[in-house]
Amino acid sequence: MKINFNNKNSIIFKILIVLAAVLFFSVLCYFFTKKGTRRTFVFPSVDGGEIVETRYLPKLPNKDPITLYVEEILLGSGVERTELLFSPETRLISCFEEKNVLYVNLSENVLDFGQNVISLEEGTKLLKRNIQQHFKRLKSVEIYVDGNSLSEEK
């Protein structure tokens, strides 16, 4: 069988072959690209409701997924119409799990209040809810501020 390259049908055939190759390559790239783990975050809205945001967190060999999740939620939302859980200066000092209890130690900046920051009680409740929603094995989440239990701070 001889293919006539000047024929209209052969040009369409070439285009279809090229499109099939591009499609096959893009599907391979999609499946072999590491997107990370899909996580959702619930943030308070300035309108009184809640806003759910989805992010893909990378799998890092030297970082625990729970620690990465807590650090990410402390950054706040990327959506403008949300309030902050804690002040923007709040940092994670430590985070570890023992006997299905997560201990989260936050910097003392958590006690600072500013514009668009919800109350400390609401912030800690939402932080715990977000964590337990993704890490079901946890029985409880204990929050500390600069090494002191938050329940002692009240």
Side-chain angles (χ1 to χ4, degrees):
M1 179 177 161
K2 200 173 189 184
I3 298 176
N4 183 1
F5 290 104
N6 295 329
N7 190 350
K8 239 184 192 182
N9 290 337
S10 67
I11 294 173
I12 293 173
F13 180 72
K14 286 180 192 177
I15 292 172
L16 288 176
I17 294 293
V18 169
L19 287 176
V22 169
L23 178 65
F24 179 74
F25 180 73
S26 66
V27 168
L28 281 179
C29 288
Y30 175 78
F31 284 114
F32 290 110
T33 303
K34 295 179 182 178
K35 291 187 289 186
T37 306
R38 184 177 187 263
R39 299 286 187 202
T40 56
F41 299 85
V42 178
F43 294 101
S45 171
V46 292
D47 302 329
E50 293 178 338
I51 292 179
V52 178
E53 187 175 312
T54 301
R55 298 180 192 170
Y56 286 91
L57 301 183
K59 294 177 183 176
L60 301 174
N62 298 329
K63 194 163 264 197
D64 180 47
I66 298 176
T67 302
L68 188 61
Y69 184 84
V70 173
E71 287 177 343
E72 195 71 21
I73 200 166
L74 289 177
L75 290 175
S77 174
V79 179
E80 289 182 23
R81 303 223 20 103
T82 57
E83 294 179 308
L84 298 170
L85 295 181
F86 308 111
S87 73
E89 294 83 22
T90 302
R91 298 289 173 255
L92 179 66
I93 296 173
S94 64
C95 178
F96 68 93
E97 178 184 353
E98 185 176 295
K99 297 180 182 176
N100 293 335
V101 176
L102 183 68
Y103 297 92
V104 177
N105 189 16
L106 302 174
S107 65
E108 65 183 11
N109 301 86
V110 76
L111 302 173
D112 297 340
F113 296 100
Q115 187 177 5
N116 287 338
V117 177
I118 60 175
S119 72
L120 184 60
E121 185 178 341
E122 289 178 40
T124 54
K125 280 182 186 178
L126 197 51
L127 176 63
K128 289 178 181 182
R129 191 176 106 200
N130 271 293
I131 293 169
Q132 288 181 315
Q133 177 181 346
H134 286 284
F135 305 97
K136 306 250 186 241
R137 69 180 182 276
L138 297 175
K139 293 178 185 172
S140 68
V141 177
E142 301 294 324
I143 299 180
Y144 290 80
V145 176
D146 231 11
N148 300 312
S149 175
L150 197 57
S151 58
E152 294 173 9
E153 297 280 334
K154 293 179 181 178

